[in-house]
Amino acid sequence: MKTQKGKMITVTANLDLSGYDRINSIYAIVMTSGGDYKIQDISKTDSLLLINK
């Protein structure tokens, strides 16, 4: 997905949890891509508790 510098983006995703245990954690990782970046930046969100009922 393409983003713009300084802009926030929201992503909606559907997850199939049928194969997961009851207690899990979920997080997102984002990074720059492409050859025109001088520094490849990688960020991880805080982990969230995911309870699969």
Side-chain angles (χ1 to χ4, degrees), residues 15-31:
L15 300 174
D16 179 4
L17 303 177
S18 61
Y20 288 87
D21 294 331
R22 185 168 186 272
I23 304 293
N24 300 277
S25 60
I26 188 169
Y27 56 88
I29 294 179
V30 295
M31 66 179 285

Side-chain angles (χ1 to χ4, degrees), residues 18-46:
S18 61
Y20 288 87
D21 294 331
R22 185 168 186 272
I23 304 293
N24 300 277
S25 60
I26 188 169
Y27 56 88
I29 294 179
V30 295
M31 66 179 285
T32 55
S33 66
D36 56 341
Y37 292 97
K38 293 180 182 174
I39 298 174
Q40 294 294 315
D41 190 23
I42 300 172
S43 298
K44 177 191 168 287
T45 64
D46 292 337

